[in-house]
Amino acid sequence: METNDPIDEDIKLYFLYKKGDRKAFDTLFLKYYSILCAFGKYYIPIEDAEEVVLDIMMWLWENREFQNIETSLRSYLFRAVRNRCLDLISKNQTKKRCYEHMFAEEMQKNFEDPDFYVAEELMGKIEKAVMKLPESYRVAFEMSRYQDKTYKEIAKELNVSIKLVEYRIQQALRILRVELKDYLPLIATMFPYFFLGR
């Protein structure tokens, strides 16, 4: 009997790619790349998150014969991304602001045994809410939260005043708090930096 269980599908793909089936690996890559990048950008800038995910996926393929993943592949991948992101934060800690250290420590505690399906669903809701923002608000907000830029850097890049950048981000946060009101406690627990001022 056929099953659509994603865990069963992952198990089949895992054993196939361990035997050198590139098509099975490509299927796993396409399945997880975007969501792993989205997960990683809550720790580090999106450009770094993409590099982390690519490195992990490349390592999986190159070392497939020696792997013995005892947990679910999904949990393994999310945990690998989390750990690599935390390593990057640790290595660059002198360059990071204090809130990032606090965030990394809190995230590490929260994700010791994470429910990744809940995290994925929550990230999806956040992404949809962000995409619904007026464009000027969304651009400033994404540059602040996802690209780790300061108000001054954003103002310079957009050729506007710092006050206008601050206004746009504050308005974006106001809209997001309303749009995501049913999920605020969960966001505060899983992504405590999300609504913090910069």
Side-chain angles (χ1 to χ4, degrees), residues 65-190:
E65 296 178 8
F66 310 104
Q67 293 164 18
N68 185 22
I69 300 175
E70 297 179 354
T71 183
S72 73
L73 180 62
R74 182 187 184 87
S75 294
Y76 178 88
L77 290 171
F78 274 89
R79 193 176 298 277
V81 171
R82 181 204 66 180
N83 290 340
R84 189 73 64 86
C85 289
L86 292 175
D87 285 344
L88 283 179
I89 291 174
S90 178
K91 290 177 182 177
N92 294 289
Q93 60 182 345
T94 56
K95 301 178 183 179
K96 299 292 181 179
R97 289 183 288 276
C98 180
Y99 90 91
E100 290 176 319
H101 300 308
M102 295 170 60
F103 165 59
E105 293 171 1
E106 187 65 24
M107 287 292 282
Q108 188 167 14
K109 289 187 290 184
N110 289 335
F111 283 90
E112 280 304 316
D113 188 19
D115 183 338
F116 292 122
Y117 290 94
V118 172
E120 178 179 350
E121 181 180 357
L122 182 59
M123 286 188 291
K125 292 184 182 300
I126 291 173
E127 290 298 310
K128 287 180 181 178
V130 170
M131 291 305 297
K132 289 167 63 176
L133 292 170
E135 184 176 4
S136 62
Y137 296 174
R138 178 181 57 77
V139 170
F141 181 83
E142 289 181 337
M143 292 175 74
S144 172
R145 290 310 192 270
Y146 299 161
Q147 299 178 30
D148 197 36
K149 295 182 183 293
T150 65
Y151 287 175
K152 183 177 181 180
E153 291 170 334
I154 297 169
K156 182 177 181 180
E157 189 165 333
L158 297 179
N159 195 29
V160 297
S161 69
I162 294 177
K163 284 293 185 183
L164 183 55
V165 169
E166 183 176 356
Y167 171 79
R168 289 176 178 177
I169 292 175
Q170 290 303 317
Q171 289 302 304
L173 288 170
R174 181 182 62 80
I175 295 171
L176 289 171
R177 287 191 183 99
V178 174
E179 188 73 21
L180 298 166
K181 62 182 184 300
D182 294 335
Y183 307 97
L184 292 181
L186 190 56
I187 292 173
T189 299
M190 301 183 78

Side-chain angles (χ1 to χ4, degrees), residues 13 16-26 61 64:
L13 292 172
L16 285 173
Y17 96 74
K18 273 180 66 69
K19 294 178 181 179
D21 188 326
R22 186 56 189 252
K23 186 176 180 180
F25 177 79
D26 289 345
W61 175 252
R64 59 190 180 278

